[in-house]
Each structure stands twice: as C-alpha cells, then as structure tokens.
Amino acid sequence: MSEKTEKRNVVLGITGSIAAYKAAELARLLVTRGFDVRCIMTECAQQFITSTTMQAVTGRAVATNFWEESEAAGIGHIQLADWAEALVVAPATADSIAKMAAGFADSPLLAVALATRAPIVVAPAMNVNMLTHPKTQENLEILRARGVHIVDPDEGALACGWNGAGRLAEPTEIFERVRNVLSAQDFAGRRIVITTGPTREALDPVRFISNRSSGKMGAALAREAYRRGAQVHLIHGPIHEQLPRAIKCQEVVSAEEMHRAVMATVASKSSMPDIVVMAAAVADYRPSEAAQEKIKKTEKSLNIKLVQNPDILHELGQLKRDERKPLLVGFAVETGEEIENLLGQTRAKLKHKNADMIVGNFAHDAFDLDTNRVWLVDRNGRQQEVATTDKWRVANKILDAILTLG
Ligand code: CTP
C-alpha cells in the first residue's frame, strides 16, 4: 500500500439538510487521515452549518457561490473539479440528487459534479417518504447506473419526526466508502475471514475468564481488506469497534463458539474463503463446567478446573492439502523484550499450526493500543519487521505480504 493513498484530494459537497452538521465530522475524519479536503456548500447548507466551521476543520477556504473572489482568481469550480480525486456529497438532499441526475449546473457544487471526472460518492439524507418516492428512487438509479457510489441512508428517528430510512449514514461509514472508492482493488474477488477480539469463558452466569485483547488489530485488517476490495467476514468476540456495513460481522463469545463459527466458513467447498486470518486472542482454556448459579464465597480457597479449548488455527492447518484450502495467517504474542525469543515462537507456531504466515508481536506493543510493531514470518522463510506504526498501516503491510503468498 502506498502511503500516498491517504493523501488524496477530496471535494466535500454539503447540501441543505439538518444532517449537514455531520459533514464536519466527516471532514475531520478525512483531514486527520491526511486527506486534503475542500468544501463546497450550497446556500441552503449554510442555513444549517457555517462555512467558518468547515473552513476551520479543513484549513481551506470554502466555496459558496459563483461570484466570490476565488472564482475570479481562477480557482473556481472547474479547477476544483479537476483538482478532486473524489467528490463526496454528504448530506445529499432529494433536490440535489434530482439535479445531479438531470445534469443541472446552477450551483458551484452541481457544476463540479458535472465537470469532474473523479469518482463521486453520494450520501442521501431526507424524509422517508421523499426517499421512497419513485422519482427519488429513479434519480438514485440514474446516478448508480452512471457509476456514482451511493451510501445508503440508515433507518431510525428522522429530524422531521418520522421514523424510517433517510438518516444520513454515519460519518465513519461514508469515510470508509470514500477510502474504498479511492483505493486500488487488489483484493477484489477474494473472500477473507478474519477473527478478532478476546473470547470469554464463563465461570458462572456473571463471571468469565478473558484477556486484554481490544480487537483493534483484526478490525483494522477487516477495514483495510474491505478498502482494497475484499469480501470480508469478521468473526469477533466482545469488542467496541465500528465497522463498515459491507463487512459481515458475526459476534461470538466463547472460544467454542468462535471455533464453530470459523469451521462453518470452511465447511463447504463452494463458499470456501481464500484467506483466514486468526487475529483473535482465543482463550486456550475454559472452565471444565460453568456453574448454573452464581458461585458463592463459602470457602477460603476455590479451585477451578480448566480444560483446553479447540485450537482453531491448528485445525485449519490440518485441512487436507488436496482440497481447496484457505491461505492461513495467525498471530503469536509474547511478553518480554527478547526479539529472538519472539521470532523463535513465531517460527515454531508457523510450523506447528501449518500456517502460511504468522505475525509475531509483543503484548506491550499491541494490547489495547492504536499502534503495533510486528514481525511477519512466512512459509517461504521470509521475515519482515514492521516498525511501530498505526494498526491500519500494519494491517496494510500484512495484506501486502498476503498478496506475495498468492
Ligand atoms: N488460536 C486459535 N485457537 C486457539 C488459540 C489460539 O486459533 N484455541 C490462534 C490465535 O488466533 C493466533 C494463534 O493461534 O492466531 C496463536 O497461537 P497460540 O499457540 O495460541 O499462541 P499463544 O496463545 O501465544 O500460545 P502459547 O500460549 O502456547 O504461547
């Protein structure tokens, strides 16, 4: 993945919806990731959010009408259309969608939408009846047929008092779609199953044994694989991550549940994933039985018998060679600071679990952090260190390495 991917020029068009305030959050997400964002606001949009806010968030002058100085100075709408590597209209009202479908150009935003050759992302926001109106649906179809990417609105309580579809999609959802649209689709057509997070092994109805995994690394892998065009199925323990809707998320709690969920994905040859990444911190042991009632503190000491959980990655590694088998990636986590020890454990796991690649990392570099430092060790004897960086960047290095394995 080139670092340049995140330093792209995005024009953010804002139209007159109560959801316009969410455009500030979308702009912030883009700017934080290094995107250069320039806003164009319709007159109506300025009734809901000021151009000063958008200018402050993006650090760039905001285009609001055809007759302002920037137009005269030659950085007007045509330059903006050429500068854009993506145009995102969020929120997009029924009126602006109708005008885009019809090819109107009576505002700077519509003129840019008509003049640009960059991909366009449209995130509608409106009353449910306006959205489901045949004319709006027809207009959305026209845009889709033209290759415009529509981020479907959410369902829920609408500002107009109605309940239903029409709420602007979450800024994170629109953000991930913009990244997806701007990315090389080098994982297109690949099915990838990713596990992440901890598992919880019940002691009784209110207690469990677990670990400190946050699931951030696996969630980053899922987002980046989606961005690069993969069809992603994320099987996760209890985590607090927001993921794009296009990712199939399946929540499990215990290691046994995770085992069943993962094995189900490889049960049929026709739907066999191409890649399985076991990023989950699966509990190696569970209480031999979970008490039906809350355990009382009657004794001075308490012995709990633990039994081993199924080793999912190991079992995947035993799938018959002659059958179609997914490429297997696992993780190895160690405490301490000894790199040679970590690499030794990583190599041993690669062999023992019959995996194609193992990602070695130290607990203190990885757990509950947004960054990680890893060593990628693969079946061809390749060994690569990825110095401490954001987990989404680490995820891309892992995906790059997967591509070299076929
Ligand atoms: N894993 C698994 N099923 C388990 C335990 C772990 O699939 N029951 C996977 C993890 O998702 C990870 C890799 O195996 O990809 C980690 O291997 P493991 O041997 O469990 O590592 P550690 O837990 O670090 O093992 P040990 O405690 O023996 O070092």
Side-chain angles (χ1 to χ4, degrees):
M1 189 222 35
S2 82
E3 307 267 304
K4 188 172 159 276
T5 323
E6 303 288 306
K7 294 193 174 67
R8 310 290 287 271
N9 298 341
V10 173
V11 171
L12 171 58
I14 309 169
T15 69
S17 153
I18 183 76
Y21 74 94
K22 291 190 185 172
E25 174 63 5
L26 173 60
R28 192 193 62 79
L29 286 168
L30 290 163
V31 168
T32 307
R33 263 306 165 81
F35 289 83
D36 196 349
V37 181
R38 292 186 184 204
C39 292
I40 314 180
M41 300 175 73
T42 63
E43 269 186 48
C44 268
Q46 294 167 67
Q47 300 295 319
F48 293 96
I49 183 168
T50 68
S51 57
T52 317
T53 303
M54 297 315 299
Q55 184 172 336
V57 176
T58 61
R60 290 280 203 173
V62 174
T64 50
N65 69 63
F66 278 127
W67 319 115
E68 61 200 11
E69 271 176 38
S70 54
E71 287 278 340
I75 47 166
H77 58 280
I78 299 297
Q79 284 74 18
L80 218 44
D82 293 342
W83 177 85
E85 290 178 88
L87 166 66
V88 50
V89 186
T93 57
D95 181 66
S96 59
I97 288 167
K99 285 180 168 164
M100 281 174 74
F104 277 59
D106 59 358
S107 75
L109 173 55
L110 291 170
V112 168
L114 207 57
T116 191
R117 290 294 163 263
I120 301 178
V121 176
V122 165
M126 65 194 74
N127 160 274
V128 59
N129 291 337
M130 290 171 87
L131 179 69
T132 52
H133 193 286
K135 196 66 202 170
T136 305
Q137 288 301 312
E138 196 184 307
N139 290 333
L140 286 169
E141 252 340 288
I142 290 172
L143 293 182
R144 267 194 200 99
R146 228 180 258 163
V148 171
H149 304 266
I150 309 292
V151 185
D152 289 329
D154 284 336
E155 290 198 12
L158 304 175
C160 54
W162 283 73
N163 232 304
R167 275 165 68 105
L168 180 69
E170 286 302 320
T172 50
E173 182 73 35
I174 306 168
F175 168 70
E176 294 295 352
R177 184 67 76 87
V178 172
R179 297 182 72 224
N180 172 270
V181 162
L182 280 168
S183 299
Q185 301 292 288
D186 52 0
F187 271 77
R190 293 187 195 231
R191 274 194 288 240
I192 178 163
V193 170
I194 300 170
T195 67
T196 199
T199 63
R200 287 180 180 175
E201 312 301 317
L203 280 164
D204 68 18
V206 295
R207 302 181 180 98
F208 54 80
I209 298 175
S210 192
N211 58 65
R212 287 175 44 214
S213 165
S214 61
K216 286 181 178 179
M217 191 63 244
L221 275 160
R223 279 188 209 102
E224 298 313 311
Y226 156 72
R227 179 181 70 81
R228 294 168 67 159
Q231 192 183 318
V232 185
H233 180 175
L234 183 71
I235 299 172
H236 61 88
I239 57 171
H240 307 280
E241 290 289 310
Q242 202 167 12
L243 289 140
R245 287 190 295 231
I247 294 177
K248 178 180 171 188
C249 290
Q250 184 179 0
E251 177 155 19
V252 295
V253 177
S254 67
E256 284 184 303
E257 276 175 39
M258 186 170 279
H259 175 245
R260 273 195 297 277
V262 174
M263 295 322 287
T265 68
V266 296
S268 126
K269 269 190 195 172
S270 60
S271 59
M272 182 73 71
D274 302 290
I275 303 150
V276 178
V277 182
M278 287 293 307
V282 189
D284 288 330
Y285 294 92
R286 68 177 181 280
S288 61
E289 52 191 313
Q292 292 299 311
E293 303 288 336
K294 188 179 162 214
I295 300 168
K296 291 293 189 189
K297 58 167 187 301
T298 46
E299 308 295 331
K300 274 277 175 235
S301 67
L302 178 67
N303 287 317
I304 295 166
K305 186 174 172 206
L306 301 176
V307 294
Q308 226 178 62
N309 275 323
D311 188 325
I312 307 167
L313 184 56
H314 185 266
E315 205 168 313
L316 291 171
Q318 302 314 302
L319 287 176
K320 296 231 171 358
R321 280 254 170 240
D322 51 335
E323 289 171 11
R324 225 186 119 228
K325 185 178 161 184
L327 192 132
L328 297 179
V329 179
F331 275 69
V333 67
E334 290 299 322
T335 48
E337 311 256 339
E338 281 293 319
I339 294 172
E340 266 322 306
N341 175 46
L342 172 66
L343 287 173
Q345 296 288 343
T346 304
R347 277 186 218 109
K349 267 169 203 159
L350 183 76
K351 193 159 174 238
H352 169 63
K353 305 217 181 194
N354 201 18
D356 297 285
M357 179 163 77
I358 298 281
V359 181
N361 54 184
F362 287 115
H364 65 263
D365 284 333
F367 274 58
D368 217 12
L369 297 171
D370 291 323
T371 54
N372 202 357
R373 174 193 189 196
V374 305
W375 284 262
L376 311 180
V377 177
D378 75 20
R379 60 161 194 249
N380 300 330
R382 215 181 73 152
Q383 188 176 299
Q384 182 194 349
E385 179 183 349
V386 181
T388 305
T389 186
D390 297 312
K391 279 186 174 164
W392 69 268
R393 289 186 195 276
V394 175
N396 279 300
K397 295 285 185 201
I398 295 171
L399 293 172
D400 291 346
I402 288 174
L403 282 184
T404 67
L405 289 169

